[in-house]
Amino acid sequence: MTGPGATDTSANVPSRSGRAEPRRRGQVDAAPHPAALHSAAAAAGGGHAAAARRAGGAALAVAVLVAVPLFGNSYHLHMACLFGIIVISAMGLNLLTGYAGLISLGHAAFMGVGAYGVAWFSSRLGLPFYLCLPLAGLLAAGAGMVTGLPSLRIKGLYLAIATLAAQFILGFVFNEWESVTGGRGGTNVAPAQVGGLLLSTEREMYYPIAAVAVASLLAARNLFRTRVGRAFMAMRDRDSAAEVLGVDPRRYQLVAFGVSSFFAGIAGGFMAYFYKVVTPGQFSFQLSLFYLTAIVVGGMGTVQGVLLGAIFMTATPSALAAVAGVFGPLAAGLLAPLREVLFGLLIVLFLIFEPGGLAGIIGRTRKRIMLITAAKE
Amino acid sequence: MKDLLEVSGLCLQFGGLTVLDEVSLRVPEGGVTAIIGPNGAGKTSLFNSVSGNYRPHAGRIVFAGADITRLPAARRAALGVARTFQNIALFPSMTVLDNVKLGRHVHLRSGVLAGALYLGRARREERRLEAYIEREVVELLGIREILGESAAALPYGLRKRVELARAVAMEPRPVPRARGRLRLAEPAAGLSHGDREQMMRLIRDLQRLRGITLLLVEHDMHVVMDLADQVVVLDFGRVIAAGTPAQVREDPAVIAAYLGAESEQAS
């Protein structure tokens, strides 16, 4: 089964543990796992109060989400829908890059697969909305797993380049496979329909998007308190040690690509229904970069980071546009390139100065406040 | 005392190099037996032959009356022979609880969908896992207060304790077909003298508590002197002495074998 050499390497794994842990960039060291926090709180005897607080928070969040269409105008709802789509897709990328430690530069391409999937399933096959979305997710998951195949052999930078290749190969397919994708002009998507109810405007799309966004956050949170999620994090932290414990990194890398792309496919599917047209330009490398920025800024490896990243990324373009408006039409022309520069800059700065992202900053601040209030008591 | 493990005439070669040369030893049931010897004496090779990772070329290994010489490692584990993995590095960004839970990864079944829904099966499995850790590990190793901490934030000593906690969590329940329980431990790798002794003491106490026979591998004889019931000394692949720690300490062959190591330590 194993030769002497193989056994020796496994026996040498432990010796590394003796040294101080270098803090690896891009990883959230300090952010405790919510489930473990829960257990720890329960162990300390404060379980009921914490559970009640959490139930109260959840009820409030649901109330706010339900109330948005009652008070918002169509611009608010447009932004809320986009926000929901960003949450779903960013959660997918965070599963892969933040939790499982596999960098992807091709996330947008998997969203594209989902979007074209929805277009095909609904227009050509006439399938209903509630079947098209999961099917689009599965289609994207398949594409993601094929892209993940090289991860069985290569890691780090090389894997990032493989995902970049997937981005451009799929982009080429979107452009050129005209009989299916409609080529450069794209393809139209009929509005979603549930029973007799037409889901056409942003007001009508809001509830399905919000529901799926909440579901994807809950699904991710659940996943990371069970076996598969722990395996993802273990192989991110130390793949050799994970292997000794019986976590097969190759298997879980593929699973991570599949699950991540499933989320991307669903988000892309919603985009198709939302814009009612799918074009190759929507799923360019810029969009992949957008999502990478979202999770790096928000906080890799946390569910909270996805929300913060999505808020940031929804607000930034409007803020930039407002600032550019002050400086007149010339500045407005520079807006698009300026955005890319800003995103790139943000990724670099956060990786260097705050690998935990906004979630890391908030977590530390909250801890400090708790310490101060505890000291006062 | 009945012998749980009996090794006789074991020979192992790598290429032309003889690593184990007619090694014979007996491990009495319920106690702690330590294999010691200078670097390169063949301790780890002996250890790997017993666990089933190496195939010896000659000799017999008898465990609880059954010849296990030709059995693969997994079958030996089913009979009750297993290694303990007490010094696999922790996962720094994960909590202590998650680190310990990973020790039982291979005993769990729930998949992606079940985990994401966290209803029924996955939830039950997770509850059972937490109950198991609570019952078997938390109290024994005194890690209750740090369960929610991230592993990277712990001081070195506590980190070592969590590694051991995970090894304890990995421990399978007594297997129905097992003929006895023998654990092979090699806590030495990468630890300082004092940490090693503390680690071994913890392991010894744990195994004694559970009635498990322990076979330790260590190169420094001082570390094992007051915790082993029996010491077997290897040098150049041969057993040069065996007996109680006191007997072995006085043995001229052992003193001679260790003289180099002793003077190195003194300098």
Side-chain angles (χ1 to χ4, degrees):
Chain A
M1 187 185 71
T2 39
T7 316
D8 283 346
T9 27
S10 71
N12 281 337
V13 170
S15 65
R16 273 199 265 148
S17 68
R19 282 172 226 145
E21 293 301 344
R23 188 187 160 100
R24 271 195 276 165
R25 279 185 188 150
Q27 291 197 349
V28 193
D29 286 354
H33 195 271
L37 258 184
H38 169 211
S39 310
H48 288 300
R53 242 200 330 273
R54 224 157 342 109
L60 184 70
V62 169
V64 168
L65 285 175
V66 170
V68 167
L70 306 179
F71 299 103
N73 60 28
S74 71
Y75 172 73
H76 296 146
L77 284 165
H78 182 87
M79 293 311 279
C81 287
L82 286 186
F83 176 72
I85 291 171
I86 294 175
V87 166
I88 298 166
S89 189
M91 192 64 248
L93 184 61
N94 210 356
L95 284 172
L96 183 69
T97 302
Y99 284 98
L102 303 164
I103 297 170
S104 172
L105 296 173
H107 198 63
F110 305 128
M111 295 178 71
V113 171
Y116 282 109
V118 157
W120 177 266
F121 293 134
S122 66
S123 305
R124 304 289 178 91
L125 304 183
L127 293 178
F129 166 72
Y130 51 85
L131 278 184
C132 285
L133 272 181
L135 283 177
L138 288 177
L139 191 67
M145 284 170 91
V146 171
T147 306
L149 282 176
S151 74
L152 306 183
R153 302 294 296 273
I154 57 177
K155 283 178 186 165
L157 177 64
Y158 302 101
L159 180 60
I161 291 171
T163 59
L164 188 62
Q167 166 79 52
F168 285 103
I169 291 167
L170 285 170
F172 181 79
V173 172
F174 298 158
N175 267 315
E176 305 300 327
W177 196 9
E178 288 186 13
S179 59
V180 172
T181 64
R184 275 163 229 285
T187 179
N188 291 318
V189 181
Q193 213 171 349
V194 179
L197 196 67
L198 199 67
L199 303 177
S200 178
T201 64
E202 44 277 285
R203 197 170 289 276
E204 289 153 349
M205 283 300 287
Y206 172 79
Y207 282 126
I209 291 179
V212 173
V214 170
S216 47
L217 293 181
L218 289 178
R221 192 200 60 174
N222 288 341
L223 191 62
F224 287 100
R225 57 186 194 198
T226 57
R227 175 172 170 270
V228 177
R230 279 194 299 270
F232 282 5
M233 294 188 280
M235 80 185 174
R236 169 196 66 192
D237 278 11
R238 289 171 188 281
D239 51 356
S240 53
E243 216 167 342
V244 180
L245 293 176
V247 176
D248 181 359
R250 290 181 299 178
R251 189 179 149 191
Y252 285 105
Q253 277 164 15
L254 278 192
V255 172
F257 267 102
V259 177
S260 164
S261 308
F262 181 81
F263 280 67
I266 298 280
F270 270 125
M271 274 177 78
Y273 279 125
F274 188 70
Y275 291 114
K276 296 175 191 65
V277 62
V278 185
T279 63
Q282 286 173 302
F283 305 101
S284 61
F285 173 63
Q286 274 76 11
L287 191 67
S288 290
L289 188 67
F290 175 94
Y291 279 104
L292 208 55
T293 316
I295 63 163
V296 170
V297 171
M300 282 195 284
T302 61
V303 171
Q304 194 196 13
V306 169
L307 276 176
L308 293 169
I311 291 171
F312 185 85
M313 298 308 278
T314 316
T316 307
S318 331
L320 270 183
V323 171
V326 176
F327 292 100
L330 182 67
L334 284 174
L335 203 58
L338 197 64
R339 224 177 66 134
E340 309 307 328
V341 169
L342 182 73
F343 288 165
L345 200 63
L346 279 171
I347 290 181
V348 172
L349 291 178
F350 266 92
L351 286 182
I352 293 174
F353 295 109
E354 188 47 68
L358 295 173
I361 296 176
I362 287 182
R364 262 206 318 278
T365 317
R366 189 190 288 164
K367 211 179 256 178
R368 209 163 290 160
I369 292 172
M370 271 163 66
L371 280 177
I372 293 169
T373 48
K376 275 182 185 160
E377 282 166 15
Chain B
M1 224 180 330
K2 187 172 128 235
D3 286 337
L4 187 61
L5 181 77
E6 195 181 333
V7 175
S8 49
L10 210 63
C11 294
L12 180 69
Q13 288 172 329
F14 292 139
L17 184 70
T18 301
V19 184
L20 294 177
D21 188 8
E22 293 278 326
V23 169
S24 301
L25 62 97
R26 291 158 181 275
V27 176
E29 184 157 18
V32 178
T33 299
I35 302 171
I36 64 169
N39 284 328
K43 302 180 297 290
T44 303
S45 301
L46 176 59
F47 182 86
N48 284 330
S49 302
V50 174
S51 70
N53 293 95
Y54 290 176
R55 278 295 144 80
H57 300 104
R60 258 160 60 91
I61 304 171
V62 177
F63 174 70
D67 189 334
I68 59 167
T69 319
R70 300 278 156 226
L71 290 187
R75 292 279 307 281
R76 295 184 200 210
L79 290 174
V81 182
R83 302 176 63 150
T84 64
F85 291 97
Q86 70 283 351
N87 39 27
I88 305 162
L90 294 179
F91 303 104
S93 66
M94 300 177 72
T95 64
V96 168
L97 183 62
D98 276 350
N99 265 286
V100 175
K101 280 179 172 178
L102 269 161
R104 294 198 71 72
H105 181 82
V106 293
H107 301 284
L108 306 178
R109 288 288 160 267
S110 67
V112 175
L113 202 59
L117 294 174
Y118 201 60
L119 297 168
R121 192 177 151 186
R123 187 189 288 257
R124 273 199 305 277
E125 184 174 87
E126 208 57 23
R127 294 263 162 86
R128 264 204 307 274
L129 174 63
E130 275 165 19
Y132 177 90
I133 290 171
E134 178 71 33
R135 196 174 61 237
E136 302 280 330
V137 184
V138 169
E139 217 48 64
L140 203 60
L141 283 141
I143 54 169
R144 184 180 303 283
E145 283 70 34
I146 55 169
L147 280 178
E149 304 274 333
S150 87
L154 298 177
Y156 184 71
L158 273 182
R159 234 183 293 160
K160 284 285 143 195
R161 186 182 298 198
V162 176
E163 286 173 16
L164 187 59
R166 192 172 55 188
V168 172
M170 282 173 84
E171 182 86 30
R173 292 160 217 250
V175 201
R177 309 270 293 281
R179 291 161 152 265
R181 299 172 81 186
L182 176 71
R183 293 294 166 266
L184 312 168
E186 194 178 11
L191 286 184
S192 76
H193 184 109
D195 286 325
R196 228 153 55 212
E197 192 167 345
Q198 199 194 351
M199 172 71 67
M200 287 204 181
R201 214 170 281 282
L202 260 170
I203 295 171
R204 197 256 326 253
D205 294 347
L206 288 174
Q207 309 297 53
R208 196 168 275 171
L209 209 65
R210 296 176 162 196
I212 297 172
T213 310
L214 188 62
L215 185 63
L216 285 175
V217 169
E218 168 61 52
H219 79 265
D220 187 339
M221 73 169 161
H222 300 291
V223 172
V224 297
M225 276 308 161
D226 57 341
L227 54 85
D229 303 310
Q230 192 203 197
V231 177
V232 176
V233 188
L234 283 183
D235 194 22
F236 294 113
R238 292 168 196 255
V239 176
I240 57 168
T244 65
Q247 288 169 344
V248 165
R249 206 194 325 256
E250 304 304 323
D251 194 299
V254 177
I255 294 170
Y258 266 93
L259 215 51
E262 288 294 310
S263 55
E264 260 173 46
Q265 273 184 359
S267 64

